[in-house]
Amino acid sequence: MTLARYPADLTARPHAHRVLAVGAVAFVYTVVMAGGTLTIPLYVLWASQFGFGSLTTVIVFIAYVVGVVGTLLVAGSLSDAVGRRPVLALSLALTALSTVGFALADGLTVLLISRVLSGVATGLITATATSAIAELVRGRRTAAVLSTAANVGGLSLGVVAAGVLAQCVTAPTHTVFWCYLATCAVAGVFWLVIPETAVPSADGTAGRTVRWQPRIRRPVLPDGASRVRSFVASGVLVAASSGVNGFFSSLAPAFLRDDLGVSNFAVIGVGVGTLFISALLAQTVTPAALVRRGIGTALLAVGMIVIEAALWTHSAPLFIVGTVFAGAAVGTLLRHGLSVTDALCHPGNRAELTATYFLFLYSGLVVPVLVLGLADQAVGTRASSTMLAALVVSTALVGLALGRRTEPASTPDTFSRPSTHRTPVEENHE
């Protein structure tokens, strides 16, 4: 599959057109990511309706991760071959299809299928939208902030909106998704103004010399041992932070209800959404000089310790404080990792390397959450959450140690300097 030659006049478009293009990509990205967390406040309702417990809740969540990881392995480089616009459209269509499935769900099987479809949509859009934004915006720092803001902003909006709606409307497990489907339709209108940004090779393909074929692909790594260590260090750190995401995306609502006595769906949605909101703020307002591996790891450790203290003392305010610290860690590590990834890729494999980075991120969701689900049923909430905290912090320390072994010149902690490669749309400033 190939795409038409990259439009030569794209860089000459007026500034307003370029801003509109970036905004449209970011909006579509945000909407699709919101679908990934829309289900979080509703798990407790489905568990009651369909009669399943914490382990089944984890399995439903992991179905989403399987969809994401499988897609990144099979189709992570798809947009490098066929272009960004078709893949963005496919992701949005699958999101709409999964939304209809959730709205009509009458049992566990439909929930699982819908979660897998939602995961496939997320797997398609993460590498594609991140690459498109990097190609539309010159500065690495600006592109990383926009990409992570759309990613985590969508996650936060999804869970907060679902919680508020679930508290205010009748039949929330249906109404929430019909409302979201209307938002997907709006995103489809925004898609119409998105230009193609994938850079073609000399033969007219999008930076590749071979046709794309659906097969499991080996994750790619940058060239050079030191560059590989830098990339892997960032991947391990974001995988550690994903353990926190997994907890908040699966069992945190039940923990809030059963252990902290919170029963209001809006409060649950805001409580879980605090993680993503804090992550969003860390990405958008934190000075570049503070976006470092060490700072992110320290915030993660503090956040997990405070969250554990909250669960052991049954303190909801302390839980929120810990959530803020953990969210700041998630945002810092994600933004840093995206900047490193962008610095180490070239236009021909941008989506492929970005897909590998997100493979680290979503793979980091599986083991911690599965351990948490099994341990919760075996030894209870307190002990299982302590195991999760220990696993998350120890994984982060491994990533931090690996990053310290890299050469300083090849592993910058900040990316304030301009990008060293040319991008399709260049701004006058970062």
Side-chain angles (χ1 to χ4, degrees), residues 59 144 159 169 198 242 274 336 360 404 430:
I59 291 173
V159 67
V169 302
S242 292
T274 298
H336 178 274
F360 274 104
R404 291 185 183 280
E430 294 187 21

Side-chain angles (χ1 to χ4, degrees), residues 167-189:
Q167 187 64 32
C168 298
V169 302
T170 58
T173 54
H174 304 290
T175 307
V176 167
F177 296 103
W178 293 127
C179 293
Y180 176 64
L181 192 62
T183 305
C184 291
V186 175
V189 175

Side-chain angles (χ1 to χ4, degrees), residues 225-323:
S226 185
R227 291 159 65 89
V228 168
R229 284 196 299 270
S230 177
F231 179 74
V232 172
S234 298
V236 172
L237 283 167
V238 82
S241 70
S242 292
V244 183
N245 281 348
F247 165 65
F248 277 84
S249 299
S250 57
L251 295 181
F255 280 27
L256 285 169
R257 182 192 62 183
D258 299 336
D259 292 88
L260 301 183
V262 178
S263 59
N264 185 289
F265 288 108
V267 175
I268 290 175
V270 173
V272 176
T274 298
L275 178 86
F276 302 111
I277 294 170
S278 179
L280 177 61
L281 292 175
Q283 296 159 26
T284 54
V285 304
T286 301
L290 297 181
V291 182
R292 296 178 178 273
R293 294 186 178 111
I295 292 176
T297 303
L299 289 170
L300 187 62
V302 171
M304 295 308 297
I305 291 171
V306 176
I307 288 173
E308 279 306 298
L311 292 176
W312 282 84
T313 60
H314 301 284
S315 172
L318 198 58
F319 183 88
I320 295 299
V321 173
T323 300

